[in-house]
Structure formats: C-alpha cells, structure tokens
Amino acid sequence: MATLRASIEVPGRAHMNDKTSAVRVRFAPSPTGYLHLGGARTALFNWLFARGQGGTMILRVEDTDAERNKPELVGGILDGLEWLGVGWDEGPFYQSGRTELYRAAAKKCLANGAAFLCYCPAEKYVGGDHEEESSEGPQLRRVTRCACRQGRPATPGGKPAVRFKVPLGGTTRFLDAVFGEREFSNDEIEDFVLLRSGKDDQEFGQSMYQLGVVVDDIDMRITHVIRGADHLSNTPKQVLLYRALGAEPPVFAHVPLILGPDKSRLSKRHGATDVNMYRAEGFLPEAFRNFLALLGWSPGGDEEFLRTKDLLRKFSLEGVSRTNAVFDRPKLEWFNTQYLQKLPIQELLPEVENELKRSGLWKPEWAAPGADGRDHAWLSKTVDLLRPRIRLLPDFSSWSRAFFSDEFTRDAAAKEKFWTDPRVPELLGRLADRLEALAEWNHDACDHASRAVAEAGGVKAGLLINATRVAIVGQAVAPPLFDTMVVLGQQRVVSRLRDAVASFAKA
RNA sequence: GGCCCGGUAGAGUAACUGGUUAACUCGUCACCCUUUCAAGGUGAAGAUUACGGGUUCGAUUCCCGUCCGGGCUACCA
C-alpha cells in the first residue's frame, strides 16, 4: 500500500498532550454488510487525519461474531475503500485470527480482579437492564449486578463467559476531541461480556466487541480513535478496560452520524447507501470524497469545492460538528458536475476511457498520445466539448454515444420537437450538399454555410440548427452545433445528414 | 423505561473566548446569455437561530425546563 511518509512532528493539541508519538488511526469495519455511507465517511476522516499529519492508517476487520459475519463481504468493503482512494499502511488485520490475544487479555482481567466468570445462560442473566412487567406494563429497570461477580453463581453449571466487573459507584471520564470532556456514572454501566462462553471442549469462546477493540487498539498503538457517535455510549466501558489492562486510553473523536432525508437513521430504505453503488452509477471518486468530507465537518471558510489536497491540508478534528448530518443526493450530484467540468482534462480522460471500455465504445487509437497524437487530441477535445453537459460518467456512452460511434439512434422526442416543420428534409439535404463542398472545415465555415442555407430557404437559422443537431447526434440536447460539427468531421456530418433525409423518405 | 448526545432557512455548514443588517454552498424561483440543454452571470424568496423561562446593558452563543430527533442499554459491532 501507500508508503509511509517519515513521521514528522505531530501538530497536536496542547490539551491532548500527545507526547511525540506519531498519529496512528484505524478504520475497523465489520463484515456484516457492505461499506455504507457512514462507514465510508468515517474511513475518510481517519484517512484525512492520518495523511494530513504524516501518520499511519490501519485497517482492521472486526469479525468476531461467527454468526453474523459474512466473509464474502470483505472484498466489497475493500473495493469500496479503494475506489474512495482511502488507502492504508498496515493490515488488513482480522480479529478472527487474533483470538489468543483476547483470551490472554481476558485472563489478565480475571487474574487482577477486573473481571469475573459468569455462569448465567445468556437468557437468564440477571444483571443488566432487563425488561420487567409492572402495573403500568413492561418497564425496564436499572442496572443490577449478577451474583456471579461475587463468585456465587446464581445458576451453577455450564460454561462460563467472562464479564467485566464494573466498579460500584464512581464515574468514568474521558476526553473526546469532538464532544469534549465526558463523564459517565459507573452505576449505569452493566457488567458487559468480554469473552463468550466456550462451545464443546473450548474453555472460552470468541471475544466480544468491547474487548477486541481495546486489546487491538492497545496492541496497534492507536493514538486517535475516530469513529461514529453511535459508539459514544460504549466508550466508558472501553476506558474501564484500558485501565484494567494497564494502558492509557487514546484520544477519542466521535463523529456525528449521517441520517436519511427524513432524519431517521440512514438505511437501505433510503436508497443507495452502499458506496459501491455510487461507483457503479458513475460518480467521480474525488467528487464523492469532497461531498462526504463536508458531512459533519467544515473547513470554516466559504470554500466548498475542495480537492483532495485541500481536504488533506484543512482537515482537523476541531472542525467536526456534533450534529447529525442529512445525506443530500442533489448536492452530491452538483459536486460531480463541478468536478466533471473543472478537472484538468488529463485527469478526467482515464475515467472516460474506463467508461467507454465498459460500454464497448472505446477505440485503442484514442489511448495516450501515440505516433502523431491526433486521435488522442481528438478525444481530449471531444470530451472537453461534452463535459459541461455530463452529470455522470455513463452519460459519455449513452447521451453522447453519437460522438464515439456511428451506431446511434435518433431520440423520438427530439424528432418530435425539431423535425416537425415540413421544410426540414429539404433543408437538411441542401445543407449536406453545401457542407460537402466546403474546402475548409471549421466552426466559422460551418456556421456561414448553415446560415446561408437557412436564409436561402427562408427560415430562421434556429430551425435548421436544431433540426441538424437531431440529424447528426440524435439528441435534442448536445453541445453547440458548429463545435459538434468540427469534432465529428465533414464526411461524417454529411453522411448523417443524408441518412436523416433518407429516413424521412422511408417514413 | 434508564443513561447519553444533539436541535441555525428544505439540505450541508459559518458566525474568535456572548456584542448589535445571522454569512456561504446545494436546492427553489426570476431575469440575462442563447442554436437545444446544461454551464455561467445577476437577483429574489426562504430563519421570530425548536419552544418557554432565566442570567446579562446585551444571547444563536451561558443556565433550567419542555418538545422533537438520534445513540446506547446483546454471549451484535
């Protein structure tokens, strides 16, 4: 993966007291689903933070739940990250392969009294926050402690799970770079499970989330935990674990969640939430990144069109908001059109090439400047002409098909709109003759010839121009006609005009 | 239910540690440009800063309450 730049001094924030250690962050997806927008945004923030300060980005797959885990989903998540341009320096590490590490940590907690063996079957566990029947219907009671923590199992027998022994009374506090100082009462925290009970001949089962994250974050020397705000309430548990394992907690930075247009949690019913679907739709990764970065973060100024290098330079945890953001697709599309228009043409060309290859329209001679470079120059000019009207990459092969192939059809609605005048066939025929006779093929020559034909025929130039557009590109909407003619070339324009005239005869 | 976090125009955000016409971007509407449609240009509408109290000479900024939204409350992550 990307080479790690030499560690430089961490700008750091005084109150966080970062010593001199370089920044180390991680993105830790769970393969229970695809890479969704929220996850992608979290990955992006971690990446921006790490790359912006010469730190290290680690990728860790949290697959400790054998039941819900779907290994085949990992590939899609990695693909999504790659498309997003979010690379990592270490990993991917898989928690499923680090089981011994977690068991050792759990045993350490058992040994130093920070954890206990709980023999309660999961359904019978008496601790926690269970629902209970009352005169007013089902009620949830406060956290209670199980007798197992005193070594007096309420329901002896069976295999025990390891639970963390949360201190009675007192508070647990930590620093969050986004939400500030946080303090939680220990009495609100249940004795959470560290290790599942073992099956068959196993002493213990797989690690639970809380143990896995903490052990790995310590082991991987993570300095900043940047993740979704849905983990804010779990953080005190983790801080307790850090202490029990004799480690200092990192700086936490919880970023607000991304909600759907109805302000409810973003889910499949809100449409595309899988980043790979945006790639498939033809968004440019950099535009997508720019849009995503602005969800829950602001550079402070008025500029919103921020290329990746700008994001890298400006990103900071201080700019992260505490308010959940709503995903707004129209704005994403706006960003895409902006990038389509403003990107240096040489940066856009590879994307267009991929698109044309995907649709089978690509011609090898268009590839990078060859012998005389004329074909490549033609492609470059054509894409440049087309791009102000393109919204998504696939538009290059659908909407602008006639620019790259002679096999195209004329849009019925376009004919309906611009071919209704009975004089059109004759005008198009005369224009074909006139253009064919042209010695010079350029914008002005096409312009003069067309206007002359219109004038001679006693019609407004617009009538001929619009009809001609439909004839040569098959669309009612296209780039300015004379520029289009230049790009298509004399022979092609003439033959398409005659083909159009012929189509009238048939009809 | 308990605990926690939020609440600035339809959306994303800004407004130095409270200071006076609440700013920018997307979207919407209008006009200009014009050869279609975009883009671009100009302008407009849209916010009693969720609501109600309080502190203060002064609050979007501080405090309390209410309402609304979200999160956590699993041998999920």
Side-chain angles (χ1 to χ4, degrees):
Chain A
M1 268 282 126
T3 11
L4 180 56
R5 281 186 292 172
S7 300
I8 50 170
E9 184 187 282
V10 180
R13 312 150 49 116
H15 64 287
M16 280 170 191
N17 218 340
D18 270 339
K19 305 182 190 103
T20 49
S21 61
V23 162
R24 289 175 65 83
V25 300
R26 54 29 169 216
F27 174 58
S30 178
T32 51
Y34 45 75
L35 177 63
H36 57 88
L37 293 168
R41 203 270 316 261
T42 297
L44 177 62
F45 280 11
N46 272 286
W47 183 81
L48 288 172
F49 186 69
R51 286 285 183 283
Q53 339 219 343
T56 304
M57 170 84 166
I58 295 162
L59 182 64
R60 186 172 75 219
V61 179
E62 309 213 321
D63 54 353
T64 53
D65 184 347
E67 308 283 296
R68 306 196 322 149
N69 185 35
K70 293 178 191 147
E72 69 275 16
L73 259 28
V74 174
I77 293 173
L78 265 36
D79 286 349
L81 290 173
E82 187 191 351
W83 175 70
L84 253 187
V86 169
W88 55 92
D89 307 299
E90 296 177 19
F93 298 108
Y94 291 80
Q95 291 194 320
S96 54
R98 297 163 62 81
T99 308
E100 288 315 314
L101 213 52
Y102 311 134
R103 290 188 182 166
K107 283 178 179 171
K108 181 175 177 182
C109 290
L110 240 20
N112 65 22
F116 64 95
L117 294 175
C118 183
Y119 290 86
C120 302
E123 334 75 64
K124 293 247 180 80
Y125 178 59
V126 298
D129 217 13
H130 300 292
E131 195 171 86
E132 209 170 54
E133 212 48 51
S134 85
S135 51
E136 273 107 60
Q139 294 276 294
L140 247 29
R141 65 181 172 186
R142 297 273 296 245
V143 169
T144 57
R145 305 298 174 188
C146 166
C148 296
R149 103 199 298 265
Q150 253 67 253
R152 296 183 278 100
T155 48
K159 297 254 180 164
V162 178
R163 282 185 187 274
F164 189 83
K165 191 184 284 182
V166 175
L168 267 15
T171 60
T172 296
R173 49 173 54 189
F174 59 90
L175 176 64
D176 190 289
V178 175
F179 289 87
E181 297 274 1
R182 293 291 112 181
E183 184 176 21
F184 289 79
S185 165
N186 291 154
D187 291 333
E188 298 292 341
I189 306 171
E190 62 159 357
D191 291 330
F192 54 99
V193 175
L194 260 25
L195 238 41
R196 294 172 167 91
S197 51
K199 285 185 180 125
D200 308 323
D201 57 336
Q202 296 181 311
E203 183 183 10
F204 294 115
Q206 288 268 282
S207 163
M208 287 287 286
Y209 169 71
Q210 313 288 359
L211 213 216
V213 247
V214 173
V215 169
D216 281 346
D217 285 344
I218 292 172
D219 186 58
M220 296 171 187
R221 307 189 331 273
I222 300 303
T223 58
H224 301 254
V225 171
I226 303 171
R227 69 202 343 175
D230 48 340
H231 288 292
L232 197 54
S233 304
N234 284 322
T235 307
K237 295 176 188 170
Q238 294 164 25
V239 170
L240 251 15
L241 252 180
Y242 272 95
R243 305 262 188 246
L245 292 171
E248 201 56 33
V251 170
F252 293 97
H254 288 96
V255 305
L257 303 180
I258 297 177
L259 309 178
D262 59 355
K263 299 217 174 203
S264 71
R265 184 176 205 168
L266 198 60
S267 67
K268 304 104 265 163
R269 90 190 139 75
H270 289 111
T273 50
D274 178 354
V275 301
N276 286 318
M277 293 180 78
Y278 291 90
R279 167 173 61 180
E281 275 195 75
F283 281 92
L284 292 168
E286 192 173 15
F288 194 75
R289 226 177 289 148
N290 192 161
F291 168 73
L292 224 44
L294 260 17
L295 246 30
W297 172 75
S298 162
D302 283 348
E303 288 294 301
E304 291 212 320
F305 183 85
L306 300 168
R307 297 210 54 182
T308 303
K309 61 174 168 43
D310 303 315
L311 293 176
L312 249 9
R313 186 159 41 77
K314 298 191 172 189
F315 186 80
S316 77
L317 263 18
E318 286 82 354
V320 177
S321 156
R322 281 171 294 278
T323 314
N324 289 165
V326 172
F327 177 79
D328 185 44
R329 167 140 183 154
K331 191 156 184 178
L332 200 213
E333 292 184 358
W334 177 79
F335 270 111
N336 208 53
T337 59
Q338 289 301 302
Y339 275 84
L340 245 10
Q341 283 178 56
K342 296 180 180 173
L343 232 38
I345 194 72
Q346 291 307 324
E347 287 186 51
L348 180 60
L349 254 20
E351 298 283 359
V352 177
E353 180 175 337
N354 286 336
E355 169 53 33
L356 293 179
K357 280 177 175 167
R358 181 162 46 226
S359 61
L361 295 177
W362 178 255
K363 294 196 178 82
E365 60 265 33
W366 292 335
D372 58 5
R374 274 174 68 185
D375 293 318
H376 184 259
W378 174 84
L379 178 71
S380 177
K381 188 177 174 188
T382 302
V383 168
D384 205 32
L385 181 65
L386 251 15
R387 63 173 171 170
R389 264 152 277 252
I390 299 288
R391 295 191 71 76
L392 296 165
L393 254 11
D395 292 340
F396 278 110
S397 10
S398 55
W399 181 81
S400 17
R401 184 182 177 92
F403 285 79
F404 303 108
S405 169
D406 286 324
E407 291 168 34
F408 68 96
T409 51
R410 295 190 179 88
D411 181 59
K415 289 192 277 190
E416 183 80 17
K417 186 174 181 186
F418 293 125
W419 277 11
T420 49
D421 193 293
R423 292 167 294 184
V424 166
E426 193 197 338
L427 287 165
L428 293 181
R430 280 202 236 150
L431 179 60
D433 295 341
R434 183 100 183 208
L435 290 175
E436 187 174 38
L438 246 33
E440 295 272 316
W441 189 256
N442 56 47
H443 179 285
D444 289 352
C446 291
D447 189 338
H448 295 145
S450 301
R451 290 183 197 282
V453 169
E455 197 177 334
V459 301
K460 287 195 294 183
L463 177 82
L464 210 215
I465 287 170
N466 291 329
T468 303
R469 179 178 300 109
V470 176
I472 67 176
V473 298
Q475 304 273 147
V477 175
L481 187 70
F482 308 124
D483 294 318
T484 297
M485 286 180 162
V486 170
V487 151
L488 288 180
Q490 186 170 23
Q491 186 207 36
R492 191 170 263 151
V493 169
V494 171
S495 71
R496 287 183 183 184
L497 280 170
R498 294 206 166 121
D499 174 75
V501 174
S503 77
F504 278 97
K506 264 180 270 173

